[in-house]
Amino acid sequence: PDKKTAWPIPNIWGWALNRGIAAVKEDAVEMLASYGLAYSLMKFFTGPMSDFKNVGLVFVNSKRDRTKAVLCMVVAGAIAAVFHTLIAYSDLGYYIINKLHHVDESVGSKTRRAFLYLAAFPFMDAMAWTHAGILLKHKYSFLVGCASISDVIAQVVFVAILLHSHLECREPLLIPILSLYMGALVRCTTLCLGYYKNIHDIIPDRSGPELGGDATIRKMLSFWWPLALILATQRISRPIVNLFVSRDLGGSSAATEAVAILTATYPVGHMPYGWLTEIRAVYPAFDKNNPSNKLVSTSNTVTAAHIKKFTFVCMALSLTLCFVMFWTPNVSEKILIDIIGVDFAFAELCVVPLRIFSFFPVPVTVRAHLTGWLMTLKKTFVLAPSSVLRIIVLIASLVVLPYLGVHGATLGVGSLLAGFVGESTMVAIAACYVYRKQKKKMENESATEGEDSAMTDMPPTEEVTDIVEMREENE
């Protein structure tokens, strides 16, 4: 809709990281499972922080607002680092990873070690997302996209470099983890430099009355926590799936293989539809009723109808991409073999889970479109129940489907799809509730204005009395 606006960049860095692990031929499946468990647990902590991008998009109108947002992220990053250390060294981590997931001592030890190495990542990720939201507010999504591309490129380059180092023999887990850090560093640096170059000097020190005044930390957190809860449940869904899939197969070698399949298929299956989540940023960025958009001038008028058409086109494109990639014979296997680096037998086991991913774009698009509209109205609190329903549907599916003969990675991805559908349905119900309240409020305001107008148009009481008396005298 805007000449500065670019398409969101797909979340494909997992391909390069998994490639770095799969290239280590010795215990490649075990290493893939260990890194997958650690990465999915880490995402549970970074997920809520990445939604501070929306705080930057909606609330940050001044340097003072930005300082408050960054302070919140510093505190959240420190808390996440403490949890990482606690899980790595305490009995709590042994229970969560070894006992709950029914993995052997070797996989559990590697997973806890990888989790410790990832302790600083949540802070770096949160700082990057906060500045990404501010840049999106000012229509610099092209710069945000370039930062994401730079992240992926940096990870691919460092995986290639580190594969030729001594780490492959000494500590193979550090290959994807160091690459992840380097990518995040490049992305965070790019976004921060973009903010200081393009935005820092043009926004005021404090927000004036025309922008609703300075945003308080309380308002930011009230807006953020429902979105954080939703994303936290999305992030914890993957560890829950890994847990149930592993326990369903009794912690055997088949369980390790199933977790490895899930680890390999998540980034590949996520690529064709993952970027649809960013559609929720379109409504706040272009809504003219949002006072924060008065800071940003644009020559093009973007209406709700334009946004709906744009959303539909994005969903259609994602569905087409999914069916081409995952239903065309031998295409998905070739992607896994050539990019991830697994063997053909392992790639064949990933075909069915990847085909289930083909149906994800519809619920993801519905959720993203309606969430963006609710964010514009700052009514995010109605989204909280959807996260609860998602977990309920997910766990129910993981419990029921094994009785129907569904096991392994297919069980995991199918349950994720059921959770997405449940969540999107609840978001739609919440949006309908808010729409009806908004419509009723507007009708009441129109009625009140009509009454005020009628009272204003009526002549004063004394004038009416005089007119009546004159008519009686004439008669």
Side-chain angles (χ1 to χ4, degrees):
D2 188 272
K3 62 183 179 181
K4 291 182 180 178
T5 304
W7 288 80
I9 302 301
N11 180 11
I12 61 172
W13 56 69
W15 293 18
L17 302 183
N18 290 342
R19 171 78 181 188
I21 298 174
V24 182
K25 299 304 181 184
E26 184 178 355
D27 296 328
V29 172
E30 184 178 292
M31 298 294 289
L32 199 61
S34 299
Y35 175 75
L37 289 174
Y39 185 77
S40 59
L41 287 172
M42 183 268 295
K43 275 298 185 181
F44 172 69
F45 295 108
T46 61
M49 294 179 205
S50 66
D51 251 332
F52 237 79
K53 171 186 67 177
N54 298 309
V55 174
L57 179 62
V58 175
F59 280 98
V60 177
N61 300 314
S62 65
K63 296 181 180 69
R64 186 179 178 88
D65 293 338
R66 173 185 171 266
T67 301
K68 293 176 182 177
V70 170
L71 178 62
C72 290
M73 288 299 92
V74 169
V75 174
I79 294 173
V82 170
F83 272 107
H84 273 250
T85 306
L86 186 66
I87 290 177
Y89 285 114
S90 68
D91 292 338
L92 175 64
Y94 181 83
Y95 177 77
I96 292 174
I97 294 171
N98 291 61
K99 295 297 184 181
L100 284 181
H101 287 81
H102 277 201
V103 297
D104 57 38
E105 186 63 33
S106 177
V107 173
S109 176
K110 289 184 175 69
T111 302
R112 293 196 305 277
R113 193 164 69 249
F115 199 69
L116 178 64
Y117 293 154
L118 292 168
F121 184 81
F123 170 75
M124 296 177 64
D125 196 50
M127 292 297 292
W129 282 120
T130 302
H131 289 89
I134 301 173
L135 288 165
L136 288 173
K137 180 191 207 64
H138 293 266
K139 311 299 187 297
Y140 286 101
S141 58
F142 180 76
L143 182 58
V144 176
C146 289
S148 297
I149 292 175
S150 301
D151 185 345
V152 175
I153 293 174
Q155 291 188 40
V156 173
V157 170
F158 274 90
V159 164
I161 293 173
L162 294 175
L163 280 174
H164 294 86
S165 68
H166 295 295
L167 285 177
E168 183 176 351
C169 299
R170 295 182 179 178
E171 184 61 289
L173 273 176
L174 283 178
I175 294 176
I177 292 172
L178 289 177
S179 300
L180 190 71
Y181 272 114
M182 293 308 301
L185 180 62
V186 170
R187 178 162 52 98
C188 188
T189 303
T190 303
L191 294 171
C192 289
L193 290 176
Y195 163 78
Y196 278 104
K197 180 181 178 181
N198 299 299
I199 299 173
H200 187 74
D201 293 333
I202 66 172
I203 60 175
D205 293 332
R206 304 185 66 146
S207 299
E210 70 278 3
L211 295 176
D214 287 332
T216 63
I217 293 178
R218 182 177 180 179
K219 285 182 179 179
M220 290 182 180
L221 295 178
S222 297
F223 174 87
W224 169 71
W225 77 261
L227 298 174
L229 180 62
I230 290 172
L231 201 50
T233 55
Q234 291 173 8
R235 299 303 189 191
I236 201 63
S237 294
R238 182 170 164 180
I240 289 175
V241 166
N242 291 340
L243 168 64
F244 274 83
V245 168
S246 180
R247 290 176 68 90
D248 178 53
L249 297 173
S252 60
S253 59
T256 302
E257 184 180 63
V259 173
I261 292 171
L262 288 171
T263 304
T265 55
Y266 277 136
V268 179
H270 188 261
M271 192 278 290
Y273 77 88
W275 53 274
L276 291 172
T277 304
E278 300 304 320
I279 290 174
R280 64 182 178 174
V282 177
Y283 260 118
F286 289 100
D287 178 56
K288 296 304 174 186
N289 296 321
N290 190 338
S292 63
N293 281 324
K294 294 177 181 178
L295 283 172
V296 183
S297 60
T298 178
S299 57
N300 298 326
T301 301
V302 179
T303 64
H306 292 146
I307 295 174
K308 290 175 183 177
K309 291 177 182 177
F310 178 76
T311 302
F312 179 79
V313 171
C314 290
M315 183 182 70
L317 179 63
S318 178
L319 280 169
T320 302
L321 190 59
C322 281
F323 278 92
V324 169
M325 288 180 60
F326 304 143
W327 290 84
T328 304
N330 300 322
V331 172
S332 56
E333 293 96 319
K334 188 173 180 60
I335 292 173
L336 290 164
I337 294 170
D338 294 344
I339 299 179
I340 304 297
V342 300
D343 56 38
F344 181 77
F346 186 86
E348 281 189 317
L349 298 174
C350 300
V351 172
V352 174
L354 285 175
R355 287 182 175 177
I356 298 175
F357 275 112
S358 302
F359 303 98
F360 277 60
V362 175
V364 171
T365 304
V366 171
R367 184 196 66 193
H369 181 76
L370 296 176
T371 299
W373 179 68
L374 292 169
M375 283 167 51
T376 304
L377 300 175
K378 297 180 182 177
K379 301 287 186 181
T380 55
F381 67 91
V382 299
L383 295 170
S386 66
S387 59
V388 178
L389 183 63
R390 175 192 176 97
I391 294 298
I392 292 174
V393 174
L394 176 68
I395 294 177
S397 301
L398 288 166
V399 171
V400 173
L401 288 178
Y403 291 101
L404 302 177
V406 182
H407 302 280
T410 304
L411 167 65
V413 181
S415 299
L416 281 176
L417 177 60
F420 264 112
V421 172
E423 181 188 25
S424 300
T425 302
M426 184 58 72
V427 170
I429 293 172
C432 290
Y433 168 77
V434 172
Y435 175 76
R436 292 186 64 181
K437 289 201 70 174
Q438 290 288 115
K439 187 176 180 181
K440 186 176 181 181
K441 182 180 177 181
M442 291 176 64
E443 290 174 351
N444 292 337
E445 288 177 353
S446 299
T448 303
E449 290 176 0
E451 291 176 2
D452 293 341
S453 177
M455 293 295 293
T456 303
D457 294 339
M458 286 182 63
T461 306
E462 293 180 359
E463 294 182 6
V464 174
T465 304
D466 292 340
I467 293 171
V468 173
E469 291 176 353
M470 290 177 64
R471 286 179 177 176
E472 290 177 351
E473 289 176 0
N474 291 333
E475 291 175 354

